[in-house]
Amino acid sequence: MVAIPLNEKALKLPEQERIAAEFEIPYRQYLDPSAQLVGEPPEFARNPDTMITLYRAMTLSRIFDAKAIALQRTGQLGTYPSSSGQEAIGVGYASAMAACDVMLTTYREQPAQLWRGVTLVELLRFWGGDERGSDFAVPREDFPVAVPIASQAPQAAGVAAAFKLRKEPRVAVCALGDGASSKGDFYESINLAGVWRLPVVFVVINNGWAISLPREKQTAAETLAQKAIAGGIPGIQIDGNDIIAARQVCGEAIGRARSGGGATVIEAITFRMGDHTTADDASRYRKEELVSAAWKLDPLARLRNYLANRQWWTKGDEEQLIASCREQVESAVAEYLKLPPPSPGDMFDYLFETLPPALEWQRKQFTGGSR
Ligand SMILES: Cc1ncc(C[n+]2csc(CCOP(=O)(O)OP(=O)(O)O)c2C)c(N)n1
Ligand SMILES: [Mg+2]
């Protein structure tokens, strides 16, 4: 990330001026890129079962991702947004949530969705163009992914307002991208979350890019976390490729929100390893060196090394895990490919309560009148 320095002259105060307010944006990291601990880690990081469970979830997501891209390339899936490289933050915030909390995310959050209980088949169904893939059997109240950028942020504030009105100890967790944090919807949501002291956590996934637009061309703000300050809520930046920091900081924010302490913005620094979607070719706008440097920060390798350094994980465990993830993914793909396609009439039937006459005509043209 390139920090844009403030104008030096602006910092020299004339005598009549004093500082009206000062703010700090903390940064948290426990596991550095060489898998060494920085400072005292939280308790869960010392528990092999917990850490292995997180690693398994991140690995399943990575393997699913590669398969989804291959399916798209062979005409068996629609446009798909890769989440490779972003597994730590996704699994981090999802694993810090309670089952009763509600997740509102952008596309690219498959690692979090899988943790919440969305199935591989549901993901394939959705990205295969069938909206029924969003009718999650398990996280019934989690929202379908938001493709219109930042639209889930005001919805998250609304969900949090409902929790507060009903006096339910639940939290809305909203994940959105660096690009989304430049949108009005985001600022409005932060404002509402601050003034109404809402139980909502905004996780800004700063993966460096909004399609082809690099982070430094989107905003002159030094951090994205500092946007919280304008709304009167805390903002913190974390190493989003460090699963320990991701889970811990999200857990702290979710806990604070649940106990009436209000909202938080967490900026997670990560990197989008793949293309924006399968409809993109990132090699046209970013250099290979940048991507190979980012691979050195890979969250999966970092956690694997952490586990291996503690003798919690062997080569055999790794081989077994990969084989079992592949099996799960293959069996989900087989099930997905057998699903009957949705009826073209659905797009008319589920958009309006009463179909406008012009669309009634289109519907007949399209479906021949059948449901
Ligand atoms: C309201 C709206 N405007 C524009 C788009 C087109 N669009 C799709 S993805 C994207 C970039 C989003 O970047 P970011 O929020 O950083 O998320 P990322 O794709 O990096 O995960 C844009 C502008 C859209 N989907 N919705
Ligand atoms: Mg982005």
Side-chain angles (χ1 to χ4, degrees):
M1 190 183 72
V2 179
I4 297 163
L6 289 172
N7 183 344
E8 288 290 318
K9 278 188 202 144
L11 295 173
K12 288 197 189 104
L13 302 178
E15 255 177 35
Q16 304 86 323
E17 277 180 15
R18 58 187 170 81
I19 305 287
E22 274 183 297
F23 305 98
E24 278 180 352
I25 300 300
Y27 173 84
R28 194 96 63 92
Q29 179 193 59
Y30 293 100
L31 201 57
D32 77 9
S34 59
Q36 298 305 311
L37 283 174
V38 181
E40 195 53 35
E43 199 48 44
F44 74 82
R46 303 241 182 247
N47 181 326
D49 291 342
T50 307
M51 297 310 289
I52 288 171
T53 305
L54 298 170
Y55 180 67
R56 285 180 181 280
M58 288 164 64
T59 304
L60 176 64
S61 181
R62 178 74 58 93
I63 287 174
F64 170 75
D65 208 61
K67 183 67 187 185
I69 294 168
L71 287 172
Q72 189 280 337
R73 296 293 188 236
T74 50
Q76 299 173 93
L77 199 73
T79 300
Y80 173 81
S82 167
S83 60
S84 282
Q86 301 185 195
E87 294 88 350
I89 182 57
V91 170
Y93 70 77
S95 67
M97 291 172 71
C100 66
D101 295 337
V102 168
M103 187 169 98
L104 303 96
T105 70
T106 175
Y107 54 85
R108 213 189 300 291
E109 289 306 303
Q110 297 83 337
Q113 288 190 295
L114 287 170
W115 183 281
R116 293 280 295 161
V118 174
T119 65
L120 294 166
V121 176
E122 285 166 345
L123 288 181
L124 289 166
R125 197 169 199 184
F126 176 74
W127 293 109
D130 186 338
E131 295 289 341
R132 285 171 295 183
S134 298
D135 186 15
F136 313 132
V138 174
R140 289 299 299 161
E141 293 182 282
D142 281 8
F143 276 44
V145 297
V147 176
I149 300 299
S151 56
Q152 74 276 30
Q155 291 170 352
V159 168
F163 291 159
K164 191 166 176 164
L165 280 171
R166 294 183 197 152
K167 300 193 182 350
E168 292 173 355
R170 302 166 72 187
V171 179
V173 175
C174 175
L176 70 174
D178 45 292
S181 81
S182 296
K183 285 211 60 213
D185 317 42
F186 177 63
Y187 291 97
E188 290 161 22
S189 310
I190 284 175
N191 191 60
L192 193 67
V195 78
W196 284 1
R197 213 174 165 84
L198 296 178
V200 55
V201 175
F202 298 98
V203 184
V204 179
I205 308 208
N206 178 357
N207 63 5
W209 300 87
I211 313 185
S212 55
L213 199 73
R215 148 71 178 89
E216 61 274 13
K217 287 200 179 149
Q218 280 175 54
T219 171
E222 208 172 332
T223 69
L224 304 182
Q226 75 200 53
K227 297 182 178 196
I229 303 302
I233 61 180
I236 177 167
Q237 193 182 64
I238 64 169
D239 180 341
N241 285 359
D242 166 4
I243 181 68
I244 304 177
R247 185 180 153 108
Q248 176 63 17
V249 173
C250 293
E252 288 169 15
I254 290 170
R256 193 164 52 244
R258 199 183 309 287
S259 58
T264 306
V265 172
I266 298 166
E267 175 190 2
I269 310 275
T270 180
F271 194 84
R272 194 195 78 211
M273 301 294 199
D275 295 327
H276 171 70
T277 64
T278 47
D280 174 47
D281 174 5
S283 70
R284 292 179 62 179
Y285 55 81
R286 64 181 194 187
K287 293 207 165 71
E288 188 44 45
E289 298 93 83
L290 205 59
V291 183
S292 41
W295 274 110
K296 298 204 169 73
L297 308 175
D298 180 24
L300 213 59
R302 195 182 305 192
L303 178 52
R304 190 188 315 120
N305 291 337
Y306 177 78
L307 299 177
N309 289 345
R310 277 156 191 74
Q311 270 81 53
W312 296 346
W313 197 249
T314 63
K315 212 163 162 270
D317 293 330
E318 180 70 14
E319 281 161 11
Q320 260 180 27
L321 173 63
I322 290 178
S324 113
C325 290
R326 286 204 178 125
E327 224 176 275
Q328 281 181 70
V329 170
E330 288 306 330
S331 105
V333 169
E335 197 182 327
Y336 155 70
L337 291 174
K338 273 192 248 143
L339 290 172
S343 148
D346 288 356
M347 67 180 159
F348 298 100
D349 294 343
Y350 297 110
L351 197 57
F352 294 94
E353 190 180 5
T354 314
L355 201 62
L359 289 183
E360 189 60 63
W361 178 82
Q362 279 189 22
R363 186 181 185 287
K364 282 207 186 89
Q365 293 279 310
F366 212 82
T367 63
S370 67
R371 289 251 150 195

